[in-house]
Every structure is written in C-alpha cells, then in structure tokens.
Amino acid sequence: MKPIKVGLLGLGTVGSGTFNVLKRNQEEIMRRAGRSIEISMVAVRNVDRAKEITKGEVEIVTDGNLVVNHPDIDIVVELIGGNDIAKDLVLKAIANGKHVVTANKALIAKHGNEVFKAAQDKGVMVAFEAAVAGGIPIIKALREGLTANRIQWIAGIINGTTNFILSEMRDKGLDFATVLKQAQALGYAEVDPTFDIEGVDAAHKLTIMASIAFGIPTQFDKAYVEGITKLEATDIEYAEQLGYRIKLLGITKRSEAGIELRVHPTLIPEKRLIANVEGAMNAVLVQGDAVGATLYYGKGAGSEPTASSVIADVVDITRLASADPEHRVPYLAFQPNALSDLTVLPISEVYTSYYLRMRVEDKPGVLADVTKILAEFSISIDAMLQKEPGEGESKTDIIMLTHQTQEKNIDAAIARIEALSSVSGKVTKLRLEELS
Amino acid sequence: MKPIKVGLLGLGTVGSGTFNVLKRNQEEIMRRAGRSIEISMVAVRNVDRAKEITKGEVEIVTDGNLVVNHPDIDIVVELIGGNDIAKDLVLKAIANGKHVVTANKALIAKHGNEVFKAAQDKGVMVAFEAAVAGGIPIIKALREGLTANRIQWIAGIINGTTNFILSEMRDKGLDFATVLKQAQALGYAEVDPTFDIEGVDAAHKLTIMASIAFGIPTQFDKAYVEGITKLEATDIEYAEQLGYRIKLLGITKRSEAGIELRVHPTLIPEKRLIANVEGAMNAVLVQGDAVGATLYYGKGAGSEPTASSVIADVVDITRLASADPEHRVPYLAFQPNALSDLTVLPISEVYTSYYLRMRVEDKPGVLADVTKILAEFSISIDAMLQKEPGEGESKTDIIMLTHQTQEKNIDAAIARIEALSSVSGKVTKLRLEELS
C-alpha cells in the first residue's frame, strides 16, 4: 500500500520531536499502522535549522501554503501554535480535503467549533491528542475508552509549569516569585510565563476536555480562570497541616444546573493519588458513572512526549481514513449533530468547599462572631485551625475548611466577616475538592 | 442507520453490568456511536435470574449456539470465562462472520493466537479491553495511544485481590493467611483464591499486554509466575524501613537478549506513584522511548467498571466495522504478518535487583563471610539493614538490597551463603525494581 504523506507546519520543539520519533521508530510504527508514514514536506521560518534537523531528507519550504495546497499530502500536521497563521492554514488544509493533526490547544479551545464545522463539511478528520496533557493519551481515553460512561467530572493537573512551581513552593517553603525565577532559569517556565501561571493554558486544555466529556461545543470564553500568582507559601503550609495539598486544577463537572468549567488553585486531600503528582508531571482524574474514577499520568509537555501524541493521531487517521465518515470517531466524542447546549455556569453559581484564612485579634468572642456569620449563611465548618499569636503579637490566623456551599453565598459571608472590626484585612479564600 | 445487534454469552457480574450500563446510558452512548446498540439475545444457564435482570426486554436462551448462529447478530460478547465452552463459542461466532468482544483473559492469554488467526481469516474483529485491568482503557492506550513509541517495559498492579491483601498486610502488620480470610469474608477474594494469590490471573493479563507492547504472539506458558502466598509480614516491614513497598507486579521488559515476562512480589520505591496504589485498585506503568513513563489507574474488576470496557469495545467495533480490514486496529497492535519472534527469557536469565533477608549468628566475621561471597559473584550491595538480636537471642536478621545482577548469579551466591554455618535456614529472596 502506498505511504501516507504528511506535511509538517513548524519544526520547533514538537515538530523536531515528531520528525525524530517518526524516523527512529519508523519500522515499529509501520508494523503497527500497516502502512509507511512519510514526512514529505516541512514549512518553517528558519530554513538552516530545519536542514540540520532533517538532514536533507525532506523538502523544506518557508510558505505553509505550499504544504496545505500540495496535492500529494494526505495529512497536515500543524505545530505552529497560536491563532492567526495556524488557523488560516488549518482551514485551508481542510478546504483542500486534507486531514489535520494539531497540538494547538488555543486554536481548538477558541475556534474548535468553526474548525470542526469546516472539517465535517469536507469529510476530513481533525485530531488533537497533543493539545491536552502532552504525551498522555487522555483525549483517546475520554473519547473512545470511556464511551460507555456518563462522565460526571474531570479534575486535572494539566500545566506542568505551575505544578513544578507549586511542588517547589511546598518542598522548600519558598514564595511564588522566588520559585518562578528558579523555574525560568531551569527552563520549566517561559520568559513570559503569563499563560501558564495565570491558568490560561490549563483553561484551554480544560475547555477541550469538557467538550469531549459532556458533548458540548468548545466554550473557552465561559471558563473561570484563576492562576497561582497570588498563592502564598503560608496557605500551602496550613493546607498541609490540615492534610491537603494545593494544586492548580482544571475542573469540569456536570451538575443539575449546568456545566462547571474552572481553573484555580485547589486544596485536595493528600491521600489522593493525584495529590502526589509532583514536578512538571501532568495527571487527569476522570469520574464516570460506570467505571468510577480512572487516572491518567505522564509528561504533559516536551518534544518527544508531545510528538508521541501527534504521531498516534497520524496513525489513527491512517486507519480511519477508509471508514465511513459517520463511523469515524467524532471530533468532540459525540456526533456533531448530537452536541448538547448545556449551560456553562458562572463561578458564582458553583458549589464547592472552601479554605478560609483570616487574621484576627486574639481576644474572646472573635471566633464566635465569625462562626455566627457562617451559620447565618448556612455554611458549616468541616475543620478549623487556630494558631497561637507570635511572640509579642496581638493577632493570629484562623483557618477554616467549610462544607459545600455556593460561591456567591461564601462571598457574601466573607464580605460580612471582613467588615468585623476584629478581623484585619482580606479573608483569603481557596476552593477545596475532596475528589471522591 | 439500523442498530448494531449484540448477543451476550453470560449474564453474571460483568454481563449484568453490561446490560445495565447499556440501558442506563443508551442515549449518551448513541450520541457518541452515531448508531443505536441493542442487546437482542442473551444466553445464560439461569433463566430466572436473567429474566429478573432483563425484565423481559431481551430474548433469553440457554444454548449459546443460538446466539453465535443467529443471522441478525453483529457482535457476540463473550462473558462466560474459562476456556472450554467460551473458546468453542467464540470460534463458532468468528466462523459465522461475527465480531467478538470478550473479557476472557485466560482465553486470550492461552489461545489468543488461534483465535486471532481464525478472526483474521474471516475478516472480523476480536476486542478484549475488559480482559486486562477491568475499567482502565489500558489496551487502547497501548495499542493506539502509544503507537509512536518503542515500548521499553510495563509494570502493572493488575490483580485487585492481591493488592488488597498486600495493602492490608502492610497497614495492619498482619500475616498473609489472616488477611486472606478477611478478604474472603469481604468478597475481595474468591472462595478458591488460587488464581489470584498464585499470580496466574496477573500472568494472563501480563501476557496480553506483553504481546501488544512488543508485537509478539501470546505466550502464557513462558511466563514466570510467583504469587504472594509465601510473603511474610516481616519482609513488608523491613522493605518499608528501607523506603520500599512490596506489590505483586506483572513486569514485561524488552532487553537485548529477549523479552522478560514475569509476575512476582516486587519491592518498589515508596515515592513512585504506583507504590501508592492501595486496596483493590489497579494501575499500569508503561515506559515508551518517546513519551517516557505514563501511568493508568482505576478499578481492575467489578460489574460496571468491566462493563465500561466491554461497551467501549462494542462502540469501537461499530465504528471500525466499515473500515478496510487492514486499516482496523490489529488484534495485537501490530499487523498479524508483522509479529516478531523475540524469545521470552527464562527467569534465570533476567537481570534485576534483589532484597535478601538472612538469619545469622550475631558474632564477628559473619557479615564479612556473606559480603565476600557476594563480591565473588560481582554482586554489589546498595543498602543494608542489620537488626539488634532480640532479648536473649543469639541470632539476628541481616537485610541487603543489591544492585542489578542476573537471577542465576544471585541464586548461586545464595546457595553459597546458605551453606555457611553461621547462616540459619533459607535466605529470603525478593526482586526489586526502581521503575525509573
């Protein structure tokens, strides 16, 4: 059978990984796919670097249009990233009847609906395993492995940079800014780390998983996104004393009222396996009604781990290319005409548990005032920690873990607590999930 | 499009789970599969119980032949287990041109080659996700998610009963026999637990994973199988003092000389995520050359978790039924004509690290004698623990962890150590894997 011809857009970290792995494992991959997979053209900005990597074995061009318009290319692999050029080239490739593989989470999270619509009209596949959690085959697990299930929720550590920072903050008791600098020096964080530390990257990935889990269009603009920049070492320590770890989680959940879609620092019980995912590793915990909880763990980024997912998609397309289009795996796990219009809830409507830390006068009656307010809002307390005031200090910290309540309810209670004269400054609020 | 018709052989734990989940999630599954999936006939021994479960919605027969011969049935789901009747019916279903889904690990591990050959000749699919690690989609991950990789090794906790027993032994410091009785009372162990505690069940599952990972025929008879019945609470405790947990692992590894295929109690560093998999849960750690380590965790048994995998296979077959047979996912991940004849190594040829415990006279020179023997066999010591003798005792325990050496080499060294007059009885030998 004639080889599948692949055109690569981009030959950076993931592109060069894809090239190298395909070459190194060529024989093994062909024994699986039953067909040879050949990269026949690469579009890059830096031709010299590309020549070094490809050693003259592949045609190199600087205009991506030459790839997406080439009549011999079956699959276009988009590894440019971002929205502008990447989106334009992906849509052109689709219009030309080519299947597309992409690692571009921003593109799928923000423009997925448009891309899938175009692909559906042309009868081509668009695969994006590499867009979520790097080398972990989580899209495949959600989209194919768990098809029997009504998925109830997903909670994932899906950004390695922030997990590395949080692991270091906890291990060494350091504050955020110090660890960020170290992470940048080690190459675990970008020079401009905003997308990672503000939770945007995690929200892109979460948006994609939510669509696949619940069969809803991608709705990145409705995600609640809170990063780790304001997280204090103190809270990591207090959480630990209470038996919890703080992780930046992407959480999406199906409730009666709609879909929760939120990224924020979260306390989770230290006994959970996912609480012990350290450093730059990723892990996704999925709760299905039949299977219960399953967890998927591995490298969430990097050249060859991400290439592993890109190539798996290429092999899948090689296989499914000959299936009836309506029998292929649907883009978002559910058939395009069977997506649901479940509402994504604003964060104020979400129910969860909370960690509260407040600075109070160390005198009688203060705790009574605080607990009275919580009782008025029907918020019950699950655990409490009151510290001795430091030497010569008249103020101390009170830490409370609450049972589930609605976000707007706790916010109203916090406003009342902050108004107490015996409470100084703001109340620190973090969300808590038992994940059970 | 007309519904896919499924015939069920068996309606026990997994069969009733399959029936219930398919019914409960009918709409959600159809939205994914794009086609209705109907159980149209069930073959059982106990008709009354079957009627209770199916509530008269399905035709019930007592002869499995009526299912495998029925002209309207597209997919036969075999949930009888064992080798005799199950094998006969599966081969008849294949001969009749029906696709087969099975949860039967013994059948695939022992007769997989014959079954796949028959299926290949008839152009039908045989899927068996439920045969390994229950609800965890590990077959899919290995066979499709990691196609880019040269898989290097797999290490799995793939038997819930033994993991439950080991977790309890460690937690409560109890011995094997006591915990086994508790596990039987709780329903975590069968009345005849031999297959689980002797490692046979794990070896079935490991055999299947090895074939998929390395592209070799199933070779259950070449697996080295050692259960947990001889494991002592003492060793679990000493291992813990050295920073290790003991788990019953199925390990398969590719080396220069061939394939390792072995099930045995194994010391693993307590820091590894898989060391913290407790109770009846399963987890599989896979090392690929591109992706690095990935881990898959979930329920390895039970009615609905196993049904989750059965149904996922049914949906996959629904999709791939219309693909060219040579483009479907191959039975053992590699194309049938591209399997390799890599040798499975006998345990004596395997290289690994070891935990040794010996009972020695508490007098000068004993340790020198032991270490001299190890040095003669070029076995280097990684860690050592020597206990004070108990009150009024003249003997004490020495525990050693070695670096890697070949099994036949350590066995020869142990024979020499056991011959020392200062060493009493047998040396306890356990294998150790760093999993890094």
Side-chain angles (χ1 to χ4, degrees):
Chain A
M1 198 175 300
K2 81 181 179 45
I4 280 272
K5 300 262 186 193
V6 174
L8 272 191
L9 301 172
L11 202 68
T13 307
V14 181
S16 58
T18 301
F19 182 87
N20 291 333
V21 173
L22 257 181
K23 190 171 160 188
R24 186 175 72 229
N25 292 344
Q26 192 169 27
E27 191 228 328
E28 191 117 353
I29 293 167
M30 185 170 166
R31 285 174 56 208
R32 290 193 178 103
R35 194 163 169 186
S36 168
I37 294 169
E38 280 179 14
I39 295 179
S40 57
M41 190 183 262
V42 177
V44 293
R45 274 183 304 193
N46 184 336
V47 173
D48 289 342
R49 188 171 170 277
K51 277 187 180 157
E52 246 172 67
I53 294 166
T54 60
K55 300 189 177 71
E57 295 166 18
V58 174
E59 187 179 351
I60 295 164
V61 297
T62 52
D63 180 1
N65 288 295
L66 295 174
V67 171
V68 301
N69 293 331
H70 198 292
D72 291 348
I73 286 175
D74 305 297
I75 304 175
V76 170
V77 175
E78 184 275 302
L79 302 170
I80 301 167
N83 283 298
D84 308 329
I85 303 173
K87 185 184 166 195
D88 177 55
L89 289 172
V90 161
L91 290 175
K92 281 183 182 158
I94 290 168
N96 288 334
K98 303 195 186 305
H99 303 295
V100 171
V101 173
T102 177
N104 191 330
K105 49 215 143 222
L107 176 68
I108 300 297
K110 289 175 149 176
H111 305 287
N113 305 323
E114 182 185 347
V115 169
F116 300 140
K117 175 73 174 64
Q120 169 79 359
D121 290 346
K122 290 295 290 187
V124 297
M125 287 175 272
V126 175
F128 46 91
E129 181 65 79
V132 181
I136 308 173
I138 182 65
I139 298 295
K140 183 165 280 285
L142 285 171
R143 205 159 63 160
E144 303 172 42
L146 303 177
T147 42
N149 291 267
R150 190 168 161 87
I151 308 255
Q152 292 155 325
W153 53 260
I154 297 173
I157 296 174
I158 44 181
N159 179 272
T161 304
T162 47
N163 202 54
F164 175 82
I165 292 173
L166 293 177
S167 298
E168 289 288 299
M169 285 175 74
R170 186 178 76 84
D171 265 12
K172 301 183 179 158
L174 297 171
D175 66 15
F176 172 76
T178 311
V179 177
L180 175 60
K181 268 180 213 147
Q182 289 178 359
Q184 285 172 317
L186 289 166
Y188 282 117
E190 309 269 348
V191 180
D192 176 0
T194 316
F195 261 43
D196 293 316
I197 64 179
E198 295 293 1
V200 179
D201 174 77
H204 285 151
K205 296 166 182 166
L206 182 69
T207 298
I208 298 171
M209 289 198 290
S211 289
I212 289 174
F214 306 125
I216 54 174
T218 55
Q219 295 167 73
F220 172 70
D221 54 334
K222 297 204 182 133
Y224 173 79
V225 189
E226 181 184 319
I228 61 166
T229 55
K230 287 173 197 136
L231 196 64
E232 296 182 35
T234 307
D235 294 311
I236 293 177
E237 202 188 311
Y238 284 147
E240 193 151 13
Q241 290 175 26
L242 289 158
Y244 291 81
R245 300 272 167 89
I246 299 180
K247 295 289 185 186
L248 182 71
L249 288 191
I251 298 168
T252 184
K253 206 178 272 193
R254 190 202 303 252
S255 74
E256 285 289 310
I259 300 291
E260 299 179 10
L261 190 61
R262 49 193 171 100
V263 172
H264 51 69
T266 314
L267 277 79
I268 51 178
E270 65 186 5
K271 277 184 199 168
R272 302 274 178 269
L273 214 54
I274 195 171
N276 295 285
V277 170
E278 301 291 351
M281 300 303 283
N282 280 19
V284 180
L285 183 59
V286 183
Q287 178 78 24
D289 70 338
V291 75
T294 52
L295 179 124
Y296 308 84
Y297 164 91
K299 287 184 183 149
S303 175
E304 294 205 353
T306 311
S308 172
S309 287
V310 168
I311 296 169
D313 276 346
V314 171
V315 173
D316 271 356
I317 289 180
T318 304
R319 281 181 183 141
L320 288 165
S322 70
D324 291 345
E326 68 267 38
H327 280 180
R328 292 175 189 156
V329 184
Y331 309 108
L332 292 175
F334 292 75
Q335 300 292 327
N337 60 4
L339 293 184
S340 112
D341 58 357
L342 285 167
T343 314
V344 174
L345 300 172
I347 190 73
S348 60
E349 302 289 322
V350 162
Y351 282 84
T352 185
S353 303
Y354 294 90
Y355 161 103
L356 305 177
R357 171 169 59 85
M358 57 201 80
R359 190 87 185 143
V360 301
E361 296 289 339
D362 183 38
K363 62 178 189 188
V366 175
L367 190 58
D369 292 343
V370 171
T371 52
K372 186 161 167 280
I373 293 171
L374 291 172
E376 279 172 34
F377 285 87
S378 302
I379 296 166
S380 58
I381 298 167
D382 184 41
M384 219 195 75
L385 192 65
Q386 179 165 358
K387 308 305 284 185
E388 296 269 310
E391 191 93 42
E393 288 185 29
S394 65
K395 290 179 182 169
T396 187
D397 285 345
I398 293 180
I399 296 94
M400 287 174 176
L401 306 184
T402 77
H403 283 290
Q404 284 221 343
T405 186
Q406 201 170 25
E407 180 105 356
K408 63 184 169 197
N409 194 46
I410 196 109
D411 285 347
I414 287 171
R416 284 273 304 281
I417 291 169
E418 286 173 345
L420 290 173
S421 62
S422 50
V423 172
S424 322
K426 290 285 185 189
V427 173
T428 298
K429 174 187 84 179
L430 293 167
R431 297 172 193 89
L432 181 156
E433 294 282 340
E434 290 293 335
L435 302 180
S436 59
Chain B
M1 197 175 300
K2 80 178 178 48
I4 281 272
K5 300 265 187 191
V6 174
L8 272 191
L9 301 172
L11 201 67
T13 307
V14 180
S16 57
T18 302
F19 182 86
N20 292 331
V21 172
L22 257 180
K23 192 173 159 185
R24 186 175 72 231
N25 293 344
Q26 192 170 25
E27 191 228 327
E28 192 117 351
I29 292 167
M30 188 173 165
R31 285 173 58 207
R32 291 192 177 104
R35 192 163 171 187
S36 167
I37 294 168
E38 281 178 14
I39 295 179
S40 57
M41 191 184 261
V42 177
V44 293
R45 272 185 305 192
N46 185 337
V47 173
D48 289 341
R49 189 173 169 275
K51 278 186 180 158
E52 246 173 67
I53 294 167
T54 59
K55 299 188 178 73
E57 293 165 21
V58 175
E59 187 180 350
I60 297 165
V61 298
T62 53
D63 180 1
N65 287 294
L66 295 174
V67 172
V68 302
N69 292 331
H70 199 291
D72 291 348
I73 286 174
D74 304 299
I75 304 175
V76 170
V77 175
E78 185 275 302
L79 303 170
I80 302 170
N83 283 298
D84 307 329
I85 304 172
K87 185 183 167 197
D88 177 55
L89 289 172
V90 161
L91 290 175
K92 281 181 183 160
I94 290 168
N96 289 333
K98 304 196 184 306
H99 304 294
V100 171
V101 173
T102 177
N104 192 332
K105 49 216 142 214
L107 176 69
I108 300 297
K110 289 175 147 176
H111 305 288
N113 305 323
E114 183 185 348
V115 169
F116 300 140
K117 174 72 174 62
Q120 168 79 0
D121 289 347
K122 291 293 290 188
V124 297
M125 289 176 270
V126 175
F128 48 89
E129 180 66 80
V132 181
I136 308 173
I138 182 64
I139 298 295
K140 184 166 281 285
L142 285 171
R143 205 159 62 161
E144 302 172 41
L146 303 177
T147 43
N149 292 266
R150 191 169 161 86
I151 308 256
Q152 292 155 324
W153 52 261
I154 297 174
I157 296 173
I158 44 181
N159 180 273
T161 303
T162 46
N163 202 53
F164 175 82
I165 292 173
L166 294 177
S167 298
E168 289 288 298
M169 285 176 75
R170 186 178 75 84
D171 264 13
K172 303 184 179 159
L174 295 172
D175 65 15
F176 172 76
T178 310
V179 176
L180 174 60
K181 268 180 213 147
Q182 289 178 358
Q184 285 173 316
L186 288 166
Y188 282 117
E190 309 268 349
V191 179
D192 177 2
T194 316
F195 260 43
D196 293 316
I197 64 179
E198 295 293 2
V200 178
D201 174 78
H204 285 151
K205 296 165 182 166
L206 181 69
T207 298
I208 298 171
M209 291 198 290
S211 288
I212 290 174
F214 305 125
I216 55 174
T218 55
Q219 294 168 73
F220 171 71
D221 55 332
K222 295 203 184 135
Y224 172 79
V225 189
E226 180 183 321
I228 62 166
T229 55
K230 287 173 198 135
L231 196 64
E232 295 181 36
T234 308
D235 294 310
I236 293 178
E237 202 189 310
Y238 284 147
E240 194 151 14
Q241 290 176 26
L242 290 158
Y244 291 81
R245 299 271 168 90
I246 299 180
K247 295 288 185 187
L248 183 69
L249 288 192
I251 299 168
T252 185
K253 205 178 272 191
R254 189 200 306 250
S255 74
E256 286 287 310
I259 300 291
E260 298 178 10
L261 189 60
R262 50 193 170 101
V263 172
H264 52 67
T266 315
L267 277 80
I268 50 179
E270 65 187 4
K271 278 186 201 165
R272 301 275 177 269
L273 214 54
I274 195 172
N276 295 286
V277 170
E278 300 292 353
M281 300 304 284
N282 280 20
V284 180
L285 183 61
V286 182
Q287 179 78 25
D289 70 338
V291 75
T294 52
L295 179 124
Y296 309 83
Y297 164 90
K299 286 184 184 149
S303 175
E304 295 204 352
T306 311
S308 173
S309 287
V310 168
I311 297 169
D313 276 348
V314 171
V315 173
D316 272 357
I317 288 180
T318 302
R319 282 180 182 140
L320 288 165
S322 69
D324 291 346
E326 69 266 37
H327 279 180
R328 293 176 189 155
V329 184
Y331 309 108
L332 292 175
F334 292 75
Q335 300 293 327
N337 61 4
L339 294 184
S340 112
D341 57 355
L342 285 168
T343 312
V344 174
L345 299 171
I347 191 73
S348 59
E349 303 290 320
V350 162
Y351 283 83
T352 185
S353 303
Y354 294 90
Y355 162 103
L356 304 178
R357 171 169 60 84
M358 56 202 81
R359 190 87 186 140
V360 303
E361 295 289 337
D362 183 39
K363 64 179 189 189
V366 174
L367 190 58
D369 291 343
V370 171
T371 52
K372 184 160 169 280
I373 293 172
L374 291 173
E376 280 173 33
F377 286 87
S378 303
I379 297 165
S380 59
I381 298 167
D382 183 41
M384 219 195 76
L385 191 65
Q386 178 164 0
K387 307 305 283 187
E388 296 269 307
E391 189 92 42
E393 287 184 29
S394 65
K395 290 177 184 172
T396 188
D397 285 344
I398 294 179
I399 296 94
M400 289 175 174
L401 305 185
T402 76
H403 284 291
Q404 284 221 341
T405 186
Q406 201 169 25
E407 180 104 356
K408 63 185 170 196
N409 194 45
I410 195 109
D411 284 347
I414 287 172
R416 285 272 305 281
I417 292 170
E418 286 174 345
L420 291 172
S421 63
S422 50
V423 173
S424 320
K426 291 284 184 188
V427 173
T428 298
K429 173 188 83 179
L430 293 168
R431 298 172 191 88
L432 182 156
E433 294 282 338
E434 291 294 334
L435 301 180
S436 59

